[in-house]
């Protein structure tokens, strides 16, 4: 480990661990990601919560304090607040890393204990996630192991005027840098793929040469992969860990996970391996109990088997489609998904096609190391074919153009971030294989949509269009469609990952057409 020194003192009377770290300044040639030489004598104190083994971090520069995340239970939050008061320095900021209750429940306690401290988040999306998850937990989201929402966090409404006012009490920082009063900087990064949470903040302290992973990082604790995390999210989480490992390799920081003990850069490889094992085990297991037993055998010393692992296994065994909705997902997403399920009924370009396009676009982008705006991709993937249906179609207007021009009628007022509607339009307008996408979301939707015309799934889509009553299109007509797809689509797959996947799907379609011709006397008896 490169830091000049780490002094650790465990206070046996509580769950408080002081880690004072004076980092050696990285060399000027180290092409560091966010970073600069050490500038202030900083310390970080880790409060290790009893419930869910969740960590809170208290940053001090000797003149002021900042706390990151404030525990799941009010009793734990009060212990944390007492530890902060004992430091006899002003607390200026309460930074919430993401919208899960084990990180934000203590907000009400802290607002009362430190009325002058600002509750802050790094972006508007995390603020929205916090309130949304609070509503979810207040309306039946608790599990057998996790309590309901703390009453003090019940959202303020007309029926509950004394509730917690999320809009007024939580501020969005104007900058990705939190400057401490008296010196010292916390660099905030929210440019992460959808993983353990829809949006998350990691923090780098150049003064400490320390990286705080929030819940992208677990150490010696079973990962939470439960009720709002899909298998696609797990794959994105895996890719995000590898990206961060590469990004911070030269700095070699101390690494602080959201759950478990501090570590170093060696935390990343076991974390990737854990995700791989979980995906493999849950794909093969017949019951959640079987998956649990196998994971415990693989990771015998890990904590939270009866909570995190149990409910994660219950979510993923049996394996569910990656498009299962997040229980606490944005309301607009649930609305869009429900509309697609109700209205988009066509075997070739209906609900299931939209689901495949969304999942495949994420897969391709992940393989290329490209992070997409998931709000834009989700809306575009689910709504790109809306104008292929009578309610939205217009005579003489291509369905891609018509959908791009009218998609706002479905998204405005739904809670969708309206500043992103133009990006959705752009992705929808160029989703067909013969058009040229201009943005990352448009590119990967375009390629996913093109690849869905090839391979076995392409055959299934087109053959399903044949008129079962003997009208048009008939068997030869749909074969002509398949042949056209084979001739035109492959060259229009544009992304590196799409090009890598395309030959296999092309070969499947070629093989089908050859075999079909052989079994129908060159299609004469089709």
């Amino acid at each position: 480990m490169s830091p000049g020194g780490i002094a650790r003192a465990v206070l046996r009377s509580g769950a408080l661990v002081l880690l004072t770290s004076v980092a050696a300044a990285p060399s000027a040639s180290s092409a560091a990601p966010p970073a600069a030489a050490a500038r202030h004598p900083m310390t970080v104190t880790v409060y290790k919560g009893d419930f869910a083994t969740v960590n809170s971090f208290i940053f001090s520069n000797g003149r002021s304090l900042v706390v990151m995340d404030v525990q799941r239970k009010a009793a734990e939050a009060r212990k944390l607040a007492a530890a902060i008061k004992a430091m006899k320095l002003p607390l200026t900021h309460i930074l919430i890393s993401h919208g899960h209750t084990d990180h934000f429940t203590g907000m009400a306690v802290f607002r009362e204990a430190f009325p002058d401290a600002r509750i802050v988040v790094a972006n508007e999306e995390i603020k929205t996630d916090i309130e949304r998850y609070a509503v979810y937990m207040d309306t039946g989201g608790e599990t057998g192991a996790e309590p309901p929402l703390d009453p003090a966090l019940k959202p303020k409404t007309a029926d509950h005027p004394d509730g917690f006012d999320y809009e007024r009490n939580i501020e969005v920082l104007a900058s990705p840098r939190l400057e401490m009063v008296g010196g010292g900087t916390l660099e905030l990064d929210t440019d992460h793929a959808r993983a353990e949470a829809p949006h998350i903040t990691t923090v780098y302290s150049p003064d400490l040469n320390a990286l705080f992973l929030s819940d992208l990082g677990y150490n010696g604790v079973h990962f939470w992969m439960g009720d709002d995390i899909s298998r696609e999210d797990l794959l994105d989480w895996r890719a995000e860990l590898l990206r961060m490992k590469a990004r911070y390799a030269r700095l070699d920081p101390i690494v602080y996970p959201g759950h478990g003990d501090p570590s170093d850069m060696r935390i990343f490889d076991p974390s990737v391996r854990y995700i791989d094992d979980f995906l493999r085990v849950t794909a093969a297991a017949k019951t959640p109990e079987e998956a649990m037993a196998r994971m415990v055998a693989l990771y015998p010393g890990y904590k939270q088997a009866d909570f995190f692992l149990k409910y994660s296994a219950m979510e993923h065994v049996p394996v569910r489609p990656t498009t299962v909705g997040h229980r606490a997902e944005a309301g607009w997403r649930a609305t869009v998904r429900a509309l697609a399920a109700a209205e988009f009924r066509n075997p070739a370009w209906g609900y299931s096609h939209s689901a495949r396009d969304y999942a495949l676009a994420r897969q391709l982008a992940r393989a290329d190391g490209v992070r997409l705006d998931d709000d834009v991709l989700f809306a575009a993937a689910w709504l790109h074919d809306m104008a292929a249906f009578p309610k939205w179609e217009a005579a003489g207007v291509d369905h891609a153009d018509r959908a791009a021009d009218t998609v706002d009628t479905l998204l405005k007022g739904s809670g969708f971030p309206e500043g992103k509607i133009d990006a959705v339009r752009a992705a929808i307008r160029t989703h067909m294989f013969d058009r040229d996408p201009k943005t990352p979301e448009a590119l990967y939707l375009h390629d996913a949509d093109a690849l869905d015309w090839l391979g076995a799934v392409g055959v299934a889509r087109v053959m399903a269009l044949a008129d079962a009553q003997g009208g048009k299109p008939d068997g030869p007509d749909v074969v002509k469609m398949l042949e056209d797809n084979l001739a035109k689509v492959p060259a229009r797959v544009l992304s590196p990952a799409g090009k890598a996947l395309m030959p296999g799907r092309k070969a499947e379609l070629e093989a089908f057409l050859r075999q079909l011709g052989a079994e129908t006397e060159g299609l004469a008896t089709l």
Side-chain angles (χ1 to χ4, degrees), residues 430-444:
T430 60
H431 77 268
M432 288 295 290
F433 66 85
D434 57 351
R435 295 194 172 188
D436 296 315
K438 303 299 184 185
T439 67
E441 294 77 23
L443 171 63
Y444 288 99

Side-chain angles (χ1 to χ4, degrees), residues 495-517:
S495 67
K499 289 179 178 180
L501 189 61
M502 182 274 294
R505 295 207 176 190
K506 178 183 178 184
E508 288 177 358
L509 180 50
E510 289 172 331
F512 172 81
L513 289 171
R514 282 196 304 271
Q515 189 63 24
L516 182 64

